[in-house]
Amino acid sequence: PDAEAFAKTGVGVGCETTPDATICLSRGINIYLEVMLKGLERLITAGTYDQEAIERWQKSMRGQLATRSAQQRLELQRQVLSALYGPQHPYTTTGLVTPEAIGKVSKDRLDEFRRGHLTAGNATLVIVGDFDPAQAERLARASFGGWDKGTIDPPVNRQLAARTGPIHVGVIGKDDPQLSIQLAYPAPAGVDGQEGARQVLAEMIQIRVADVRFKLGTTYGVRVGRRAHTGPSAYSVAGTVDAERAGESIRAIRDNIEQLRKGGTTFDVDFVRARRKVISRLLGESTVTAEIAARLGFIAQFGLDEKFFTTMLHQVAIVSVAQIQALVDKELAADREIVVVLGDRPHLDRAFKDAGLTARLVEPVYQ
């Protein structure tokens, strides 16, 4: 809406989303703070959705999802999300861009969503950089002070999905030299005093998975992660493996995680390496404004103390082997395991047999 002002100052605005939040951003030279703030406010409250752009997006997305391989990957993700959060949890029902969902996107629906959710009651404003606080407050009040509080959204369901044991699923896809695999373990919602320990544990899983890659050479781009959510979170291992040795790879990854449960001969060494990496990451305090803003946004989203990252650094520095072992026993328990594999039926049968697992096979419903 303020294209001329943006062109003259080099300021830009835009939004992105996560499963938990819409994040609108602006960046520019500090003397143009007023343009940044006004631009953000205008974008959110007066920006328009272009019908032709919506239709182009729909056409593009339908094209991307028209192939059988794309729908197979979609089914893989659906099975993972359903196993982690339950089939009716918002992370599952809204976490996938499906052909059905694409058709429901319209200018009216977008405007309705914006009016209902992008309100003052749901918002946090973060300003980072070299600025005068009093002037910044005046500018912020001038831009945002007239916002209506609106409806405050209730928090997402924080309950872990009910389960009776491990979940192993094979998604039938095309014949391919590689199989896509995902292993996951559900974790508690939100961020608490165990966050530093959980980051150390995630790094230890990364070390264990990397050991499989170095020794077997059968995995390709396997990633390990743990991203905190307002609702239930998860530890995940995802990537591709050689189809002919997929069962061997899955078994090796599961065996290495089992070694973490048992303590294993390398547990202490992995712990030290992982803790050092997490500490180095936390010590590397950035002066890049976008990164600082992201940290402050994280603090706001989870309702944390403003000194959270400093506190977490101290917690990681004193975390003990016993504390990590207790987390492993609880959050990486064998009965919480989820294994979902995408591939052709013969390779799926062989992979699960070689891994020593009994799996339920599902076939995507093609559209």
Side-chain angles (χ1 to χ4, degrees):
D2 293 315
E4 184 177 351
F6 293 156
K8 290 180 177 179
T9 60
V11 170
V13 295
C15 296
E16 59 189 38
T17 64
T18 73
D20 292 307
T22 297
I23 304 163
C24 294
L25 311 162
S26 182
R27 185 183 301 173
I29 300 173
N30 59 353
I31 60 174
Y32 298 128
L33 178 58
E34 182 176 10
V35 176
M36 287 181 261
L37 291 172
K38 284 186 175 181
L40 275 179
E41 192 277 333
R42 290 288 85 196
L43 174 71
I44 296 168
T45 61
T48 59
Y49 298 102
D50 181 74
Q51 182 62 37
E52 291 185 359
I54 294 171
E55 291 173 3
R56 287 195 300 270
W57 174 84
Q58 289 175 321
K59 182 179 180 180
S60 173
M61 291 304 301
R62 288 192 178 107
Q64 293 178 39
L65 295 179
T67 64
R68 292 173 72 89
S69 60
Q71 293 179 46
Q72 290 160 9
R73 291 192 297 271
L74 193 68
E75 185 61 32
L76 170 70
Q77 292 304 316
R78 180 184 289 108
Q79 293 296 330
V80 172
L81 294 176
S82 295
L84 276 173
Y85 309 119
Q88 301 306 317
H89 192 280
Y91 288 163
T92 304
T93 58
T94 66
L96 299 171
V97 180
T98 63
E100 300 86 3
I102 292 170
K104 295 178 181 179
V105 175
S106 67
K107 187 176 185 301
D108 289 343
R109 290 286 296 272
L110 292 171
D111 282 324
E112 179 185 0
F113 180 88
R114 177 172 61 178
R115 288 192 299 267
H117 299 282
L118 304 190
T119 62
N122 285 327
T124 299
L125 175 64
V126 176
I127 305 174
V128 175
D130 180 15
F131 58 85
D132 176 75
Q135 180 195 27
E137 181 178 351
R138 287 194 300 272
L139 293 174
R141 290 188 181 280
S143 294
F144 296 96
W147 268 22
D148 181 68
K149 184 176 182 179
T151 302
I152 300 177
D153 289 331
V156 70
N157 180 6
R158 295 170 58 89
Q159 294 297 316
L160 292 173
R163 55 192 305 121
T164 58
I167 299 173
H168 304 139
V169 180
V171 178
I172 300 173
K174 64 179 181 179
D175 184 11
D176 195 282
Q178 298 176 11
L179 300 188
S180 296
I181 67 167
Q182 290 201 34
L183 283 76
Y185 297 85
V191 173
D192 57 24
Q194 291 273 65
E195 179 63 20
R198 289 190 176 102
Q199 290 196 16
V200 173
L201 177 54
E203 288 293 341
M204 292 177 70
I205 299 172
Q206 174 68 68
I207 291 170
R208 296 285 84 219
V209 172
D211 183 69
V212 173
R213 181 171 67 251
F214 295 144
K215 290 182 178 179
L216 295 184
T218 58
T219 61
Y220 310 94
V222 175
R223 307 172 305 280
V224 176
R226 179 192 173 276
R227 181 172 183 175
H229 290 306
T230 307
S233 301
Y235 303 91
S236 66
V237 179
T240 57
V241 298
D242 182 78
E244 295 299 322
R245 300 175 64 190
E248 180 184 1
S249 301
I250 295 170
R251 186 177 66 248
I253 292 172
R254 295 178 69 246
D255 285 348
N256 273 350
I257 293 176
E258 178 63 21
Q259 289 178 20
L260 288 178
R261 297 189 191 104
K262 294 179 177 178
T265 57
T266 65
F267 190 96
D268 289 359
V269 175
D270 292 346
F271 166 73
V272 172
R273 290 172 59 194
R275 184 175 62 176
R276 182 185 300 123
K277 187 169 183 178
V278 173
I279 289 175
S280 297
R281 188 164 62 232
L282 291 172
L283 281 174
E285 184 174 340
S286 175
T287 57
V288 177
T289 55
E291 294 181 12
I292 298 173
R295 283 194 171 192
L296 291 172
F298 182 90
I299 287 171
Q301 178 181 331
F302 291 98
L304 305 171
D305 182 87
E306 62 181 15
K307 296 181 180 179
F308 167 76
F309 284 97
T310 301
T311 301
M312 186 169 68
L313 174 60
H314 295 317
Q315 291 173 343
V316 173
I318 63 172
V319 69
S320 66
V321 169
Q323 185 179 352
I324 299 297
Q325 188 66 66
L327 273 181
V328 171
D329 294 342
K330 182 178 181 181
E331 299 183 4
L332 296 186
D335 63 355
R336 297 164 70 94
E337 177 185 75
I338 296 165
V339 180
V340 183
V341 184
L342 168 63
D344 62 281
R345 184 184 288 271
H347 279 118
L348 285 178
D349 289 337
R350 178 178 170 184
F352 282 113
K353 180 180 179 181
D354 291 348
L357 301 175
T358 300
R360 173 175 59 91
L361 297 187
V362 299
E363 189 161 0
V365 178
Y366 295 105
Q367 302 184 26

